[in-house]
Amino acid sequence: MYYSFPHQWWGKVGMGAAVYASAHCILLPPSLLQPSALYSLAPYGGGYFMGNMADQRAGFKTMRESTKADWDIIVERYQPFARELPDRILGHLKLLGGDDGGFLVDRLHHSLLTATLAHKGGEDEEYVVCALLHDVGDTLGSWNHPDVSAAIVKPFVSEANHWMVEKHGIFQGYFFFDKIGLDPNMREQFRGHPHFERTARFCELYDNPAFDPAMECAPLEFFEPMVRRVFEFPKNSIYRDTCHT
């Protein structure tokens, strides 16, 4: 019995000598394959692909020609990437630090203070994390930050909390839109929506007053475990059962 390897393959055979098949597939007898926990054999097109799972890549150039073996590789590599999402979110939140935009506090401090007020107000952990991240879209969504923030939290939170984050910009406008030539009652278009009062309350109690540098404010480290718990497992995603471990 022989195993064939495609031209993309790098591996180790025999006494550890590196082998690279540059133009054509090569045939190797099992006796030359050095067993190792770091290496695996997996179907790859007409043959097998051998190598460290962390280094393997799918072989298709169009999605139409992909195989289950290709997607096994992709899912395997996607899982650790997805588990690092809380780190990326916390890192992106830190980008708000140092940018005050003309306010008395910078954007990070405002986010921390909003979350601090929500925590002191007795809100549950998911709500507090939404309060912390309600403006995380500021950097990449400078003209629609609530939409960006809402998209980030959507797979992990309730529909009510997602709607609150998504619409908070319009509801916050109740307190200042008249100063910039907009309608402060813009939120009235949503009057009667099941989450109208929830969002109005969020802005009234937590978002609106969170610009006071003299108020007690918890550090980001206080909220980090909450972020990690909320983003540990998606509630709403078509990929949840396929890609999550």
Side-chain angles (χ1 to χ4, degrees), residues 28-222:
L28 292 176
S31 61
L32 290 181
L33 300 180
Q34 194 170 40
S36 169
L38 294 177
Y39 291 85
S40 63
L41 284 172
Y44 187 103
Y48 288 81
F49 185 96
M50 180 183 175
N52 188 327
M53 282 299 291
D55 297 327
Q56 290 187 12
R57 295 187 184 184
F60 62 86
K61 296 181 177 65
T62 69
M63 290 258 183
R64 187 186 299 276
E65 68 182 6
S66 65
T67 66
K68 182 181 184 303
D70 287 323
W71 286 100
D72 286 344
I73 291 171
I74 291 168
V75 169
E76 180 82 15
R77 295 188 63 173
Y78 177 79
Q79 289 167 349
F81 174 78
R83 286 194 292 270
E84 294 168 353
L85 177 60
D87 295 319
R88 294 192 294 275
I89 289 174
L90 291 165
H92 201 83
L93 188 64
K94 291 176 183 177
L95 295 178
L96 302 182
D99 177 11
D100 59 48
F103 296 93
L104 287 176
V105 299
D106 66 27
R107 300 179 193 277
L108 176 59
H109 190 94
H110 168 69
S111 298
L112 293 169
L113 190 50
T114 304
T116 299
L117 292 171
H119 184 264
K120 287 184 174 182
E123 306 297 346
D124 63 40
E125 185 166 271
E126 182 182 293
Y127 188 110
V128 170
V129 169
C130 285
L132 178 69
L133 300 178
H134 76 286
D135 283 347
V136 73
D138 273 352
T139 51
L140 293 178
S142 301
W143 298 96
N144 66 329
H145 79 271
D147 299 318
V148 177
S149 302
I152 292 171
V153 303
K154 183 177 181 179
F156 300 93
V157 303
S158 68
E159 195 276 332
N161 283 334
H162 170 257
W163 199 89
M164 179 180 75
V165 174
E166 184 180 51
K167 298 296 188 288
H168 83 270
I170 292 176
F171 279 69
Q172 182 80 322
Y174 178 75
F175 303 104
F176 74 93
F177 272 0
D178 58 318
K179 281 84 171 177
I180 60 172
L182 295 175
D183 180 8
N185 293 312
M186 196 182 296
R187 69 180 190 175
E188 290 302 313
Q189 64 184 297
F190 301 113
R191 178 72 67 177
H193 190 280
H195 308 314
F196 183 97
E197 295 300 334
R198 179 186 191 86
T199 308
R201 179 176 176 274
F202 167 73
C203 291
E204 174 76 33
L205 297 182
Y206 308 133
D207 195 4
N208 168 55
F211 296 91
D212 184 351
M215 293 181 69
E216 181 182 4
C217 183
L220 181 57
E221 291 74 19
F222 177 78

